[in-house]
Amino acid sequence: MQVIELSHHIGGELVAGEAQLAQYNPADATDLKVAIPVADAALVAKAVASAEEAFGRFRDQGIEARSDALARVASLINAQSDELARLIARETGKTLGDAKGEVGRAARIFSFFAGEALRIVGERLESTRNGAMVEIEYAPKGVIGQITPWNFPIAIPAWKIAPALAFGNTVVWKPSELSSATGAALMAIIAKAGVMPGAVNMVLGAGETGAAICSHPGVDALSFTGSVATGKKVRMAAAERGVAVQTEMGGVNALLVLKDCDLNSAVETALNGAFLAAGQRCTATSRIIVEEAIADAFVERLSLRISEHRLGDPLDTGTHIGPLASKGQKELISRQSAAMERHPGAQLVFGGSAEALPECFFAPTLFDHAKATDPIAQEEIFGPVAAVFRVADYEAGLAMVNDSRFGLSAGLCTGSLKYSEHFKRYARAGMLMINLPTAGIDYHVPFGGVGASSYGAREQGRAAKAFYTHTRTTYLKA
Ligand code: UN1
């Protein structure tokens, strides 16, 4: 078994610590163990001090130096793409193909923000007082605390770290304890690319380390992606100290399939959204809402297509679906699926918790005839579990899409302009997908939801500027 011993990364130095947490290859625990030290509040304070100390100097390096550094990170990610993808597959169970795609996306995000660093456009207006001028500038906020999840172990850190640096901020970052080796690999690339030491500091650990970042008075803004429960704690900590916060959390995303759709492509859309990446995407489809007239044919075809998908070793290129990320996730998803299986009404058509699979594998699981009162209608299941809800028509389907406290991504499969226009207007979600899966988003446009899914300014694309800068208004008279 390979053992990777990790260290924190503060002010350009590796800081060792006693390993207190471990992550194993979820497809084969005998293959890889990642040994993780845990940063306590004192070590987090050192990381914040390093980021504070680097802040002014980093900003004053200027936009071209920042842009060049981000571009170098992008090329190094590309140069190491095979080895990064293998590490992601072994550490988190993501299939090699998905992992490669994610690594490429992370590189593109760094390239995108290398460009954005050169385009921090301000405004200059005449003052209402004759002879005076007003300038509006977008200045860095300072030290940004970032907490990232394991399901996109390099792309989500990329879409938080790259804009933070592009706009001149410095960072204290904690990757998930389930993807810390990937985090450390990205950190090594950031250092090798010559990003100023102290501009990005990585502390490892779990909830307490995250809490120490959130409550540290030197942190000027908090960006979090993860669970609903932790997101709330991050917001409370930010409110307590009065700093900016953005939290990206879950979804119980719905795909509404109308009878006028192209059935085969709607099935592929549902399959991709619900089961690829083992359903471990906050944008994954868990509610597939189908017009009754085509529901039998849809469920039959979807079941067939699921059966054609191979569950297996993420490193094997023939594998479509890998394991869940950890034993803990498997227990959670099994419990949630079992609750659905026991629930009167909904029928299990595929998979389920009774299938005893090795390691962290969980079978793709599909229910039919689910009702609005079933657990899966309201609670996020972060795994390959989805349910078909049958509805009489578009109106009933739209009402069901909107019957959720979440609102991240909502999809519609239809051939009708009338329904897609109506859906765009009335579906309650931050991201709408017409004839596309609810999951799988672009990096150059805003990302985020409404309701319990997201809080604060949007991430990604040009929208990232709103979170990573503050607006400064200067009055000038010669
Ligand atoms: C995607 O659907 O491509 O944690 C990205 C997540 C989201 C990212 C989804 N923040 O799953």
Side-chain angles (χ1 to χ4, degrees):
M1 159 152 64
Q2 186 190 359
V3 180
I4 302 181
E5 309 256 4
L6 298 180
S7 300
H8 313 284
H9 205 292
I10 298 175
E13 307 279 334
L14 291 176
V15 179
E18 184 203 337
Q20 293 178 42
L21 300 169
Q23 164 71 350
Y24 295 88
N25 178 338
D28 175 5
T30 64
D31 167 61
L32 172 71
K33 176 183 178 183
V34 181
I36 307 157
V38 171
D40 60 9
L43 200 63
V44 167
K46 279 194 182 144
V48 174
S50 153
E52 282 180 306
E53 196 276 321
F55 171 60
R57 286 186 296 121
F58 179 66
R59 180 199 51 208
D60 294 343
Q61 268 193 332
I63 56 170
E64 201 164 62
R66 299 201 306 255
S67 173
D68 289 351
L70 292 173
R72 284 195 301 271
V73 174
S75 3
L76 285 172
I77 291 174
N78 280 327
Q80 294 178 29
S81 125
D82 286 349
E83 103 194 46
L84 286 167
R86 278 185 68 81
L87 177 61
I88 290 173
R90 289 171 72 212
E91 185 180 34
T92 70
K94 185 170 274 208
T95 62
L96 199 55
D98 281 354
K100 279 203 176 129
E102 188 191 336
V103 170
R105 173 164 162 182
R108 289 195 160 91
I109 292 166
F110 275 99
S111 297
F112 177 85
F113 284 105
E116 287 302 279
L118 305 176
R119 285 188 286 264
I120 310 173
V121 179
E123 288 167 65
R124 183 176 150 95
L125 297 79
E126 272 187 45
S127 167
T128 53
R129 282 163 278 182
N130 251 356
M133 299 300 295
V134 186
E135 283 172 10
I136 305 168
E137 262 182 289
Y138 297 94
K141 277 207 167 100
V143 176
I144 315 287
Q146 303 185 329
I147 300 173
T148 58
W150 45 265
N151 65 329
F152 285 91
I154 190 162
I156 294 179
W159 79 56
K160 293 191 194 296
I161 293 170
L165 298 180
F167 295 110
N169 303 279
T170 57
V171 171
V172 175
W173 166 43
K174 187 193 90 62
S176 163
E177 61 275 29
L178 304 188
S179 63
S180 296
T182 305
L186 175 61
M187 194 62 230
I189 286 176
I190 290 171
K192 192 169 165 194
V195 174
M196 177 187 281
V200 183
N201 304 275
M202 182 190 71
V203 286
L204 301 173
E208 282 177 21
T209 307
I213 296 175
C214 294
S215 60
H216 195 288
V219 174
D220 300 298
L222 291 165
S223 179
F224 166 85
T225 300
S227 72
V228 171
T230 308
K232 182 173 177 185
K233 289 186 197 160
V234 173
R235 290 196 302 279
M236 300 294 278
E240 189 67 40
R241 297 202 299 105
V243 297
V245 63
Q246 65 181 181
T247 60
E248 283 298 341
M249 298 149 295
V252 183
N253 308 296
L255 176 73
L256 174 55
V257 181
L258 299 185
K259 61 179 186 254
D260 68 6
C261 73
D262 175 320
L263 188 79
N264 286 352
S265 74
V267 165
E268 296 310 306
T269 301
L271 185 76
N272 178 314
F275 301 111
L276 296 194
Q280 300 177 114
R281 298 185 280 189
C282 58
T283 45
T285 309
S286 52
R287 298 182 295 148
I288 307 171
I289 304 169
V290 186
E291 261 193 293
E292 183 62 62
I294 56 159
D296 285 341
F298 182 90
V299 171
E300 191 183 323
R301 169 106 196 135
L302 181 57
S303 308
L304 171 74
R305 290 290 293 129
I306 299 171
S307 71
E308 287 167 359
H309 275 61
R310 254 191 56 201
L311 215 64
D313 182 355
L315 292 174
D316 180 343
T317 46
T319 294
H320 299 107
I321 301 175
L324 299 174
S326 69
K327 288 266 156 64
Q329 283 302 116
K330 179 170 171 171
E331 274 161 31
L332 175 65
I333 304 305
S334 305
R335 262 203 318 276
Q336 288 180 299
S337 179
M340 269 299 288
E341 291 157 32
R342 282 197 306 272
H343 205 77
Q347 291 162 18
L348 181 65
V349 250
F350 205 95
S353 61
E355 280 200 33
L357 298 177
E359 301 283 353
C360 302
F361 286 96
F362 191 86
T365 295
L366 182 68
F367 296 91
D368 191 5
H369 299 283
K371 296 279 172 295
T373 47
D374 289 353
I376 200 169
Q378 299 300 336
E379 277 169 40
E380 181 173 38
I381 303 192
F382 211 64
V385 181
V388 170
F389 298 74
R390 294 169 175 238
V391 288
D393 52 24
Y394 168 77
E395 283 71 24
L398 178 66
M400 188 166 261
V401 168
N402 288 341
D403 179 16
S404 174
R405 68 195 172 100
F406 294 100
L408 187 57
S409 175
L412 175 70
C413 290
T414 184
S416 150
L417 187 61
K418 176 178 125 192
Y419 288 127
S420 62
E421 284 300 313
H422 191 273
F423 191 78
K424 272 164 48 191
R425 185 176 288 226
Y426 291 104
R428 229 175 47 86
M431 292 176 296
L432 301 171
M433 303 291 194
I434 311 294
N435 295 316
L436 286 166
T438 57
I441 48 114
D442 290 358
Y443 57 87
H444 64 311
V445 290
F447 174 91
V450 300
S453 291
S454 304
Y455 181 90
R458 289 286 185 254
E459 294 195 271
Q460 300 212 57
R462 309 207 70 185
K465 182 178 171 186
F467 183 74
Y468 288 102
T469 61
H470 77 84
T471 307
R472 192 157 52 194
T473 311
T474 306
Y475 295 81
L476 290 143
K477 192 163 187 275

